[in-house]
Amino acid sequence: QKEVEQDPGPLSVPEGAIVSLNCTYSNSAFQYFMWYRQYSRKGPELLMYTYSSGNKEDGRFTAQVDKSSKYISLFIRDSQPSDSATYLCAMKDQGGSEKLVFGKGMKLTVNP
Amino acid sequence: GAVVSQHPSRVICKSGTSVKIECRSLDFQATTMFWYRQFPKKSLMLMATSNEGSKATYEQGVEKDKFLINHASLTLSTLTVTSAHPEDSSFYICSARAITSGKGDTQYFGPGTRLTVL
């Protein structure tokens, strides 16, 4: 079992839809959870950063962490064509490791 | 804040030549930088962790003599692909570790370098 599992999609939705992206993980030591957005031929851009469990909201984006289920989510409200990109979840533990463990990335297309 | 640049953005070279890629943190100091490789439609593969003033730590299976990493200052790390071959063609991305308000201790990525070896 991989440390981080993410459905690679692709996912196609109409403009204005609510998008839900998810990752599951197996390492209970993970404490920090991130979502990155990567446009084609570009480097990943940090979208959301969450420590431990709970929700975090930033504009149209909401990140949720459920540590009891080892499950994290990213919700995008009122999705726009400009949201079309690959979304990668990433996480790391609190043990001092600097390395991030990434999901495979989910390719999202928002159709106008 | 936390902007990372890479140069060049794209390079085409002949087989057997060496190519140097620069990664700079523009508005912060980064004691730790990372080098990744990304194949088409695949996730990021960590190649090495670069710490300022010390030797890089390479991931298993990454040839340290082929991928030379130097982190000579707090804002610059370089990756040199030596004696490049067509199988080294890939998208190389660097990141820098930073602690920012609201975003905690995480990595900020450069825009990537597309290497094509003919």
Side-chain angles (χ1 to χ4, degrees), chain B residues 39-101:
Chain B
F39 293 99
K41 299 181 181 178
K42 298 289 185 184
S43 191
L44 301 164
M45 183 189 83
L46 179 65
M47 298 174 66
T49 301
S50 165
N51 289 295
E52 187 265 337
S54 63
K55 290 185 179 180
T57 302
Y58 291 82
E59 295 299 300
Q60 192 172 8
V62 178
E63 299 175 59
K64 58 182 68 177
D65 294 330
K66 181 165 189 61
F67 298 101
L68 300 179
I69 291 171
N70 183 277
H71 193 161
S73 79
L74 288 172
T75 59
L76 173 65
S77 176
T78 60
L79 168 68
T80 302
V81 183
T82 62
S83 187
H85 288 93
E87 58 266 29
D88 298 323
S89 299
S90 192
F91 193 51
Y92 292 88
I93 311 175
C94 72
S95 71
R97 184 182 180 189
I99 301 174
T100 58
S101 175

Side-chain angles (χ1 to χ4, degrees), chain A residues 72-92:
Chain A
I72 69 170
S73 301
L74 176 70
F75 297 96
I76 307 174
R77 291 182 298 282
D78 187 25
S79 56
Q80 303 294 310
S82 57
D83 295 328
S84 299
T86 295
Y87 290 80
L88 300 108
C89 63
M91 45 199 83
K92 67 174 183 172

Side-chain angles (χ1 to χ4, degrees), chain A residues 47-62:
Chain A
L47 271 181
M48 301 291 284
Y49 176 97
T50 311
Y51 170 67
S52 195
S53 284
N55 294 358
K56 188 170 186 178
E57 189 173 318
D58 185 359
R60 296 184 294 111
F61 298 90
T62 300

Side-chain angles (χ1 to χ4, degrees), chain A residues 34 36 38 56 98-99 103, chain B residues 38 43 59 97 102 106-107:
Chain A
M34 287 135 276
Y36 286 87
Q38 185 176 22
K56 188 170 186 178
E98 304 161 316
K99 297 181 189 178
Chain B
Q38 189 174 35
S43 191
E59 295 299 300
R97 184 182 180 189
T106 188
Q107 295 178 29

